Amino acid sequence: MGHPRGFLEYEREAVPSRPPLERTGDFAELHGPPPADGIRLQASRCMNCGVPFCHGIFTGCTLCNKIPEWNDLVYLGHDREAYLRLAETNPFPEFTGRVCPALCEGSCTCGLDGKAVTIRDIELYLAETAFERGWVRPEPPPVRSAFHVAVVGSGPAGLAAAYRLNRLGHRVTVYERADRPGGLLEYGIPNMKLDKAVVARRIRVLQAEGIVFESGVEVGRDLPVERLVQENHAVLLAQGATIPRDLPVPGRDLEGIRFAVPFLWETTAALLEARRKAVPGTRPDWLPPLLEGKRVVVIGGGDTGNDCVATALRLGAASVRQLELLPRPAVERRPGNPWPLWPFTLKTDYGQEEA
């Protein structure tokens, strides 16, 4: 614990987002890079608790990240050592530092009587610093086994499994039905939350470590399952939840009704195509107002619904209304929802803030 009074002397200051009215004009990321000086002060607020609930699998980080340890190292200026400690448990901190709901912050002891440490901001700082300074390098296994493993799906689960299996020395091939790897990371999460260049950067590292990616291959159609099983010692299915939940209500057959993920998928695909064709001096993170003048209703108040709100705004919707089945959450924790459990309280996410 490098600064025993950090949590008393400094207030929580999260990395600010770009102003809502500014960022709705493009699909660029919401946040700028975390500043080193501010991050060190925020890391000093970590108390290195005797019982760190932040990295407990039942109350905090499901990866069991050693949060107090790398917070202390960041405060002391040992960024490389902090990153290595983070990378022990998290293979893709550049993803989680952007899109993770930060369960760790919900169980931070500082949040018991105050405001939690900005753990996710510190994680993202370490990830981006590591790439910037060349600490993230391909690490192929020193010895290869004779085992071949096929991973079906290149989303978060597929990539994480491929990463672990490859580190064990097995020969891993990842099959992805889309035109490029990444799955949910590539097409299900909008660019303003996770820039697709960040996904491509990590894919290049995984390829250099020996993982083979086969894109545009739908297992069961382009590649028979029988052949996949015959040619590999093991097959891991990580294709995600590809069947949307429908809503069988009167009017469901009317025009203009879309499922959320295909809507987000097509928007990201259009953005990537616009980037590919962009000429110098043009706006690479902008799309034509495809929903201009349209009144949009989003059914569902979760993360995906929020992403649809934000995407509709960027596509020029005249208005956006979001419907949620559950009752409005309380502003403060209820008696049945004590710390260090995740606080089921009212939160205004980025898309709702923009709307």
Side-chain angles (χ1 to χ4, degrees), residues 147-153 158 161-162 165 170-175 212 219 223 227-229 231-238:
F147 294 103
H148 293 259
V149 182
V151 177
V152 182
L165 290 164
H170 305 315
R171 303 172 190 276
V172 182
T173 301
V174 180
Y175 294 93
V212 177
V219 173
L223 176 62
R227 176 183 159 194
L228 195 66
V229 173
E231 295 179 351
N232 292 278
H233 296 88
V235 176
L236 177 67
L237 301 181

Side-chain angles (χ1 to χ4, degrees), residues 274-289:
R275 280 184 172 182
R276 188 182 68 83
K277 295 181 177 180
V279 297
T282 61
R283 299 170 61 184
D285 287 309
W286 177 85
L287 286 175

Side-chain angles (χ1 to χ4, degrees), residues 2-248:
H3 193 332
R5 293 182 55 83
F7 71 101
L8 295 173
E9 295 182 6
Y10 304 113
E11 295 292 330
R12 173 186 169 99
E13 292 186 13
V15 175
S17 302
R18 294 190 292 141
L21 291 180
E22 170 190 315
R23 64 184 191 240
T24 52
D26 58 49
F27 283 83
E29 282 197 341
L30 306 172
H31 307 278
D37 292 342
I39 285 293
R40 300 204 196 289
L41 291 182
Q42 293 304 304
S44 77
R45 299 183 66 241
C46 179
M47 298 188 292
N48 195 12
C49 311
V51 180
F53 291 95
C54 60
H55 73 169
I57 192 169
F58 297 110
T59 58
C61 178
T62 55
L63 292 175
C64 295
N65 285 338
K66 302 171 183 177
I67 296 167
E69 297 183 27
W70 43 261
N71 274 340
D72 184 41
L73 289 167
V74 168
Y75 168 65
L76 296 174
H78 303 317
D79 289 350
R80 181 177 172 81
E81 291 77 6
Y83 169 74
L84 293 175
R85 196 65 52 88
L86 169 61
E88 287 180 10
T89 53
N90 187 351
F92 311 131
E94 70 273 25
F95 300 156
T96 52
R98 286 174 165 85
V99 303
C100 177
L103 303 178
C104 53
E105 295 185 18
S107 57
C108 174
T109 304
C110 283
L112 178 60
D113 186 25
K115 296 182 178 180
V117 175
T118 57
I119 300 171
R120 189 172 68 178
D121 286 350
I122 299 168
E123 180 180 28
L124 181 57
Y125 164 77
L126 285 175
E128 291 305 308
T129 300
F131 274 101
E132 180 182 334
R133 299 185 183 179
W135 302 337
V136 181
R137 298 176 181 173
E139 297 181 27
V143 179
R144 285 288 180 188
S145 78
F147 294 103
H148 293 259
V149 182
V151 177
V152 182
S154 64
L159 291 183
Y163 169 86
R164 295 296 182 193
L165 290 164
N166 184 68
R167 286 293 174 97
L168 291 172
H170 305 315
R171 303 172 190 276
V172 182
T173 301
V174 180
Y175 294 93
E176 170 57 53
R177 66 175 181 169
D179 61 334
R180 62 185 73 198
L184 176 73
L185 299 168
E186 183 73 11
Y187 285 113
I189 299 175
N191 194 81
M192 50 274 197
K193 287 175 67 174
L194 175 60
D195 194 293
K196 304 314 157 191
V198 175
V199 181
R201 181 179 64 182
R202 175 57 69 173
I203 296 296
R204 289 194 295 270
V205 174
L206 296 176
Q207 288 173 322
E209 292 183 337
I211 299 174
V212 177
F213 289 90
E214 297 286 350
S215 299
V217 177
E218 184 171 350
V219 173
R221 188 189 67 178
D222 304 317
L223 176 62
V225 175
E226 294 78 11
R227 176 183 159 194
L228 195 66
V229 173
Q230 290 171 0
E231 295 179 351
N232 292 278
H233 296 88
V235 176
L236 177 67
L237 301 181
Q239 69 270 42
T242 57
I243 300 176
R245 177 185 174 188
D246 209 339
L247 195 61

Side-chain angles (χ1 to χ4, degrees), residues 327-335 337 343-347:
R328 185 183 180 90
V331 177
E332 302 291 340
R333 287 181 183 267
R334 293 187 182 275
N337 179 219
F344 291 101
T345 55
L346 182 65
K347 300 175 182 66

Side-chain angles (χ1 to χ4, degrees), residues 281-353:
T282 61
R283 299 170 61 184
D285 287 309
W286 177 85
L287 286 175
L290 304 176
L291 295 179
E292 188 172 20
K294 296 185 180 295
R295 299 187 295 274
V296 176
V297 175
V298 177
I299 301 176
D303 280 346
T304 304
N306 177 66
D307 291 340
C308 289
V309 170
T311 300
L313 291 172
R314 283 162 175 75
L315 293 178
S319 67
V320 182
R321 177 172 296 184
Q322 189 173 21
L323 306 180
E324 169 57 64
L325 175 67
L326 301 175
R328 185 183 180 90
V331 177
E332 302 291 340
R333 287 181 183 267
R334 293 187 182 275
N337 179 219
W339 175 91
L341 300 178
W342 175 252
F344 291 101
T345 55
L346 182 65
K347 300 175 182 66
T348 302
D349 213 327
Y350 78 103
Q352 296 147 359
E353 182 185 39

